[in-house]
Amino acid sequence: MPNDSSDYDDALLTRLNALKKSNVSFGPTQISSTKTSSGVNTALNIGQDDLVDRFRSLGGVAGPQMHAGPGSEQDEDDGKTVEDLLAEIGPDSQWTQNPDEPNEMQKLLDEARQALSQIEEQPSIRDSEEFSPSFKKSEPDTQPPSPGAPASIEETTPEAPPTQTEDEEAAIYLQQILDELQLEEHDKTTKGPSYDEEDGLSGHSPNQNLYPVGQGLPGLDMPSVPTSIPLIPHQPAEENPLPTFDLPSAPITAPQRKSTTQSAKAKIPQYSDQDMETCSSSEMQCFTQLTPPTAVSHAISLPFLSASANNLVVAKTSLLQIYSFKTVVSNAAEQDAGIPNGLDRRTSGAKGPGRDRVQTTKLVLIAQYDLSGTIIGLGRVRTLRSTSGGEALLVALKDAKLSLIEWDPERYSISTISVHFYERDDIQIAPWAQDNAQCVNQLTTDPSSRCAALKFGARHVAILPFHQAGDELVMDDFDGGVNDDQSRLTNSFHKQANGDSHHLTPYRGSFVLSLLALDPGLMHVVHLGFLHEYREPTFGVLSSRLAASSALHDRRNVLSYAVYTLDLEQRASTTLLSVTNLPYDIHTILPLSMPIGGALLIGCNELIHVDQAGKANGIAVNDFARRNASFPLPSQPDLALRLEGCAIEHLGNPNGDMLIILRSGELAILRFRIDGRSVSGLSIRLIQEQSGGCLLSSAASCTTGVGRGRIFIGCEENDSVVIGWTSRSMKLKRQRSVAEANDRADAMLSVPDDESEEEAEDEDDLYFNDKPDGRLSAQPTSSTTDTEIDEYSFRIHDSLINLAPLGNLKILEAQSFIFTDPSSQEDIPNKLELVASTGHGMAGKLTKLRMGISPQVQHRFDLGNVQATWSVAVKNLATESSQPIDDYDSVIITSVVTDAGEEQSYAYTLRTNPPKELLESDFDSSAGATIAIGTLSGGTRIVQVLKNEIRAYDDDLSLAQIFPISEDPTPEDPRIVAASFAEPYVLLLRDDSKAMLLKADDAGELEEVEQGDTFSSTTWLSLSLFEDSNDVFRLAGDEEEADDEGSSVLMFLLNVNGGLQIYKASDLSHSVYSANGLSFLPPFLSEDFTIRRSSARDPLVEILVAELGDTVTKTPYLILRSGNDDITIYYPYQSAMEGVSTSSLRFAKVPALGLSNIITSNVLDGQNYPTQKLRAMQDVGGYSTVFRAGVSPCLILKIASAAMQIIPLNGASMKSFASFHTADCRRGYLSVDDMGAISAARLPPHADFSTGWLAETLLRGKNITAFDYHAVTDRYVLGVGENAEYKLPDDELHPEWVHEDINFLPQVEQGLVQIFTPSSGTITDTYALESGEVVMCIKTMSLEISEITHVRRSLIVVGTSFVLGEDLSAKGRIYVFDIIEVVPEPDLPETSRKLKLIAKEEVKGAVTSLSEVGTEGFLLVAQGQKCMVRGLKEDETLLPVAFIDAQCYITVAKELKGSGLCIMADAIKGVWLTGYLEDPYQLRLFGKSAQHLEVVAAEFLPHGKDLYIVVGDAEGEMHIFQFDPHNPKSLTGQRLLHLSNINTGAYPMAMTLLAGHPASDPLADGRATSVSSDDTPASLHQILLTSQTGAVSLLSSLTPSAYRTLAAMQAYLTNTLPHPLGLNPRAYRGAEADNTVGGRAVLDGDVLKRWKELGSWKRAEGMARAGLDAEWEFEALLEGVWL
């Protein structure tokens, strides 16, 4: 063994370079310390000859460098020609391969693989063929390794012994080379001071690449040749021969933590705030999605939860939702009223007398998952084995990735089976387009589940086969293909492990085919899809032989349709048929099942059916079909249909009829004429309005059948709906009367939903009888004809709210930003309220969005210093059997504290206004404070729980019973602190932690229930009674008691150790369920769950089991409250585990409830709040809900079709809540504020809570292109677009236009400027623009209207553009309006305001953006290729005073108000920063971005004395730039520094800067206090983002300490949390940026807000790693990324 490792290193480098066919060459490292003054290398070459001899045995000849002695010159080859170098190599014969050389080379490769395997990360879910080196990315898109993974080589390799072998040294040196490469890449990324962009690292020469690039080692995925390698210092022989570096290599696993918290904190780099401030402060941002996406892009129905289930899977860009269906009976009148605007799910189940009742199918959300990816396709796959018995789901993502998932009933969640990657840079073409429909990747699955195909790139398709019953194919014997060796190894392993009888995975090895290999004519593939009724997997391909062209004569008949059958064994295909010369505008293949078969080709002007024999039949739907194509088609020109963006879905009837949904939302029926077994023609018929033909108002993004007579229609511009249909022929067969139908409907009410859902669907047609408004088709009479009545009738069953696209935004005045001294800003409300334009076209709406609930207060009662209140509806025992007139509350009972400090209770009657105290009753106000109020004996007995006794009253409050808790009351006796009611029981909790159970007998008398020894000896913290009438929990009990009253009542008790005990109220001798690990709050809770050696328990203080839901469905939930008022919710489910004899009852934690329940410090100490803060209410605004009292009151809501939501209540803290139902406050609630006042309020009646924000529609049916709010008159000014037919005008240059002969005229948009009055909800004035003139932007500005007096007025400025075609130059106009007061019309006071035109200016180019600028009342106008500053003159003209030439289309122009700084962004060059000067007037360019960006939205982000610009581009990425003229990289400010970027996953629509809030350091002293240090910015700002998917997001600035802690926590959560579909959030958010200057990454708030999904022991570990002492500290930091 040589003493000097450098010589051995040189020999090893030469050894590796001598291998042929390698693109990796390792040059010798120069060691400057061993050079003489003459530059001669004095390194020794001891130990080199043995390696040379070994290489010679491989058949090679050592070059001159291999025999270089100590005195050889390094530059001896300088100046030699190529011929001289080739002559030194020698004759070609010396390179003749030795027969034993492959074996020797394979041995060396095995050694290299073994060394590399110690450092490469292995993904958890991969199949071998998809993860070949050629398909890998630089960052694996899988989850990081677990903490238990092996450590890196540097951490585990001991000091090498003197007798170390050559193989071991080779492995060590390979590790050194890889570490050097990683270090070099890190240096290139950070570009520190020692990096030189031209010569690499200073002081080093680049290595020569001795072998051409592209000839890599077979089987190895090695990095490219480095340009330079850091110096390796000389080490003595007695030291470790491994070289050392200045920077360690990045470890592949997290370091092991010690058991103590102090040691864990020591491992975190301790950066001070001063150190963080020296970095670029733009690194201190966090991106958080406030509301989920609402636009439905894909949907599919399949039996997912079980083999007999009927589920709907919906994809909303990055949100995956799983639904089931429930049939309810509702009133037909409400269904009719809800057809145009969707259904109100809170009242859809109500019934009215004298009206027909109809069965309605409702959506019920089972689960939803936020994904770190964008979904572009869904497919159903029937596998051989499934844990649930249902089918599997194949999800395609935008970056050429497939995830196969199934339902896991044991965890009641999805389970990822496999992840398949096919992304490659050399074949991927623009997969990140902003519109999913335009993505080049496409997923299609075989109807028989034999395989799936993913088309990615331009001409590549990946085939993923699946095992099926009777599948005997073997994948070993084949030639060629992709990843053949790995596929062969995988199949061989499967056979050895399992034999030939079954398989480890449901899929086989996938392979990639080039479409050109299938057919050389597949140059430009348009669409493909698998066909039905073929023995082998067969798919049709629609392709073009020419690229897309704007010249119609070149692309008239360029498409062809071909059918190929696929041989999965040979990985080959055979062409079955081909149809050529198809019209150019066909874009989609729709496979048809029997009895039609074949495929339907959908074009913009025609439909063509191609059967299995290649016979084509079609129909033209307008006049353009024949003009634009020569394909022979019969025509129905009277239809005048536009099929662009249409969707077609099977109706599921035997004759194969199909439903066409046009882009306008109109419905039509496509019918096939069948002659024998073949199709002979097609016909189309529009559905009339009275039959539901105008139910929709926008295009459908996806459709899927969800059962007999039901279709789900997903929309990206309107609410997605479930529609039902019935046919006239089915009605004629039944011949049943209306009365019989209603009788059967009554019978359906008593049938459980899960017993006869399909039977209910069969009987649905029965209830489609004659309606008064004639909306649905009636029975045919002798006077009706086929032209007067439709065959089908449609109606809406249910809807999903959609806010997309979420465009223009207007924030209320309280949240408007003023650029002034932050210290002078007033307190700003912490609840955001804004108005936005949502939807598109006729589905456009003006929607108000609010973060919290602002209750509609109906009454206020001053009844003293109230601490708690209850309202009671009492039934009279004498009239109980009769039908009650109403169920209004009649009595209010309050618990108050007098001025003298005495606790008393009072009763008031609600039959008077205001309520009066009941003085003549037996209710004793001096009895003390009331703990709880409830009713028993069917509502005829009022029970009052006091501290030391229980009192029962009759309906007239006459005292019926007093039940003391002790026989001889004394002051030392325990007192009651909490109570729970469930007919006929009352469960009490005393202050000695003991519980009592009372039961009311038939006479209403309370008696104590006998307790068991275990129950009586256990101490409890909280308790709750629940009547499980639907047997959801399915806990075992005595069968004899099944029919007894109260036998279904369960007792849920929380013991002092944090465990859950469930007893049946009828038997207290033993518990029926026990989960001692409840206080750990695990993701899944069962009786077997235990945590060893962990004391990290949550301090739970209250438990409540209550039903949550609406009129569609209600489900019991287990709700827990901790000591800091955090809410944790579990839902029960049944899942029997193999080998476990305990109960099958499990509890799963409800994930991601948001941050509405955060209490940042122990502010509750000293406040007089009740022990029971959670109050369940059965019917508040149609919801069964739970209120939480305290300093942050909130409402827990569950809507059937949406996820669980915790919505804050705006206003002060609340002491108590109670339900309240009177004639003038129906289904409301009572609240007691911190001053003791009572308010009766209602929830907003027309608001939707599905997204967690309140969404209230102000205006419908308007295509709002721009709008703004005029605060002076409380009016909205809208820019509306309406479609109008366009006819060529008279033109002298084109006289032929006069003779235009066409009936199918095109449509253009015509703009309108309208005034909307929100108080009345009506349009009160309209200003019509010219034909082809559309509104681009509207702004309300305070403009100077006089140059003499300098008077300013709030005016409306409108920018327009003329859309006349590409051959005409663009022009626009600037309008200035004022809203004046006029005499209103009679009985219409809202018409008192009208628009008055002040100024009108026509300009060259479109006016695309407006902004107020400067301090003199001028406006900034982006017009054409210029941005101008204009001022309003007395002569009603707009005088330009300054301008800047942009030379391109401006998308954004806005000023940071009060500063004169302006940003201008365009669609090509990027973003510019300019400054406006008033003396003299000029616009000056300060800096611009260095790279080209297609900017869609931009906004300022001030941070202290620094200025940052946030930009959103068309690819959904958000870029952060900084203007820093002192930075040398900015070229004195001419270049904006590109600091960082993040992938938002959605196309941005608008950005709005919110008001700054004072920076705080919640870690300072246990409370969130304002920081007054001069080193910390005075305020932090946030940017609100809206997107095309309907999501609202937030970009927040952070303090250095907050960023440091949140970054550490994000890394921990990313590695700890399970990520659905095997996706990696770090790779998803980490957008690629080549021109950044090394800024810190933007934090992902979506990962941080999943904090509560972890159990308490995991959260404790995360806090230790982040350096936190208490959990509230982290929650306080989370408030900085929230609103």
Side-chain angles (χ1 to χ4, degrees), residues 256-261 263-264 267:
Q256 296 181 357
R257 289 182 62 254
K258 294 184 180 181
S259 57
T260 61
T261 303
S263 62
K267 291 184 178 295

PDB file of all heavy atoms in Angstrom, residues 256-261 263-264 267:
ATOM      1  N   GLN A 256     -29.375  11.525  13.640  1.00  0.00           N
ATOM      2  CA  GLN A 256     -30.123  10.906  14.729  1.00  0.00           C
ATOM      3  C   GLN A 256     -30.235  11.867  15.897  1.00  0.00           C
ATOM      4  O   GLN A 256     -29.280  12.551  16.263  1.00  0.00           O
ATOM      5  CB  GLN A 256     -29.427   9.627  15.174  1.00  0.00           C
ATOM      6  CG  GLN A 256     -29.385   8.552  14.082  1.00  0.00           C
ATOM      7  CD  GLN A 256     -28.726   7.296  14.562  1.00  0.00           C
ATOM      8  OE1 GLN A 256     -28.250   7.245  15.691  1.00  0.00           O
ATOM      9  NE2 GLN A 256     -28.692   6.276  13.714  1.00  0.00           N
ATOM     10  N   ARG A 257     -31.404  11.921  16.462  1.00  0.00           N
ATOM     11  CA  ARG A 257     -31.677  12.796  17.593  1.00  0.00           C
ATOM     12  C   ARG A 257     -31.426  12.064  18.894  1.00  0.00           C
ATOM     13  O   ARG A 257     -31.653  10.864  19.004  1.00  0.00           O
ATOM     14  CB  ARG A 257     -33.119  13.283  17.577  1.00  0.00           C
ATOM     15  CG  ARG A 257     -33.432  14.275  16.502  1.00  0.00           C
ATOM     16  CD  ARG A 257     -34.888  14.720  16.630  1.00  0.00           C
ATOM     17  NE  ARG A 257     -35.131  15.390  17.901  1.00  0.00           N
ATOM     18  CZ  ARG A 257     -35.795  14.836  18.907  1.00  0.00           C
ATOM     19  NH1 ARG A 257     -36.281  13.633  18.819  1.00  0.00           N
ATOM     20  NH2 ARG A 257     -35.986  15.522  20.027  1.00  0.00           N
ATOM     21  N   LYS A 258     -30.965  12.816  19.865  1.00  0.00           N
ATOM     22  CA  LYS A 258     -30.889  12.273  21.202  1.00  0.00           C
ATOM     23  C   LYS A 258     -32.247  12.338  21.861  1.00  0.00           C
ATOM     24  O   LYS A 258     -33.156  12.984  21.391  1.00  0.00           O
ATOM     25  CB  LYS A 258     -29.855  13.051  22.013  1.00  0.00           C
ATOM     26  CG  LYS A 258     -28.431  12.871  21.474  1.00  0.00           C
ATOM     27  CD  LYS A 258     -27.424  13.576  22.343  1.00  0.00           C
ATOM     28  CE  LYS A 258     -26.011  13.407  21.816  1.00  0.00           C
ATOM     29  NZ  LYS A 258     -25.008  14.075  22.658  1.00  0.00           N
ATOM     30  N   SER A 259     -32.375  11.697  22.973  1.00  0.00           N
ATOM     31  CA  SER A 259     -33.680  11.604  23.622  1.00  0.00           C
ATOM     32  C   SER A 259     -34.115  12.917  24.230  1.00  0.00           C
ATOM     33  O   SER A 259     -35.289  13.175  24.386  1.00  0.00           O
ATOM     34  CB  SER A 259     -33.639  10.511  24.708  1.00  0.00           C
ATOM     35  OG  SER A 259     -32.614  10.812  25.641  1.00  0.00           O
ATOM     36  N   THR A 260     -33.189  13.786  24.603  1.00  0.00           N
ATOM     37  CA  THR A 260     -33.570  15.027  25.262  1.00  0.00           C
ATOM     38  C   THR A 260     -33.852  16.103  24.246  1.00  0.00           C
ATOM     39  O   THR A 260     -33.316  16.117  23.146  1.00  0.00           O
ATOM     40  CB  THR A 260     -32.439  15.480  26.198  1.00  0.00           C
ATOM     41  OG1 THR A 260     -31.271  15.706  25.405  1.00  0.00           O
ATOM     42  CG2 THR A 260     -32.135  14.431  27.253  1.00  0.00           C
ATOM     43  N   THR A 261     -34.668  17.017  24.647  1.00  0.00           N
ATOM     44  CA  THR A 261     -35.023  18.137  23.764  1.00  0.00           C
ATOM     45  C   THR A 261     -33.845  19.081  23.565  1.00  0.00           C
ATOM     46  O   THR A 261     -33.646  19.623  22.488  1.00  0.00           O
ATOM     47  CB  THR A 261     -36.207  18.900  24.360  1.00  0.00           C
ATOM     48  OG1 THR A 261     -37.274  17.994  24.551  1.00  0.00           O
ATOM     49  CG2 THR A 261     -36.645  20.034  23.453  1.00  0.00           C
ATOM     50  N   SER A 263     -30.636  18.414  23.384  1.00  0.00           N
ATOM     51  CA  SER A 263     -29.696  17.920  22.389  1.00  0.00           C
ATOM     52  C   SER A 263     -30.248  18.064  20.990  1.00  0.00           C
ATOM     53  O   SER A 263     -29.500  18.283  20.046  1.00  0.00           O
ATOM     54  CB  SER A 263     -29.361  16.457  22.667  1.00  0.00           C
ATOM     55  OG  SER A 263     -30.535  15.669  22.582  1.00  0.00           O
ATOM     56  N   ALA A 264     -31.573  17.917  20.838  1.00  0.00           N
ATOM     57  CA  ALA A 264     -32.153  18.070  19.511  1.00  0.00           C
ATOM     58  C   ALA A 264     -32.044  19.500  19.040  1.00  0.00           C
ATOM     59  O   ALA A 264     -31.810  19.775  17.865  1.00  0.00           O
ATOM     60  CB  ALA A 264     -33.608  17.617  19.524  1.00  0.00           C
ATOM     61  N   LYS A 267     -28.640  20.604  17.356  1.00  0.00           N
ATOM     62  CA  LYS A 267     -28.315  20.228  15.996  1.00  0.00           C
ATOM     63  C   LYS A 267     -28.781  21.239  14.972  1.00  0.00           C
ATOM     64  O   LYS A 267     -28.442  21.130  13.804  1.00  0.00           O
ATOM     65  CB  LYS A 267     -28.905  18.848  15.685  1.00  0.00           C
ATOM     66  CG  LYS A 267     -28.214  17.714  16.442  1.00  0.00           C
ATOM     67  CD  LYS A 267     -28.770  16.370  16.040  1.00  0.00           C
ATOM     68  CE  LYS A 267     -28.049  15.249  16.750  1.00  0.00           C
ATOM     69  NZ  LYS A 267     -26.640  15.139  16.361  1.00  0.00           N
TER      70      LYS A 267
END
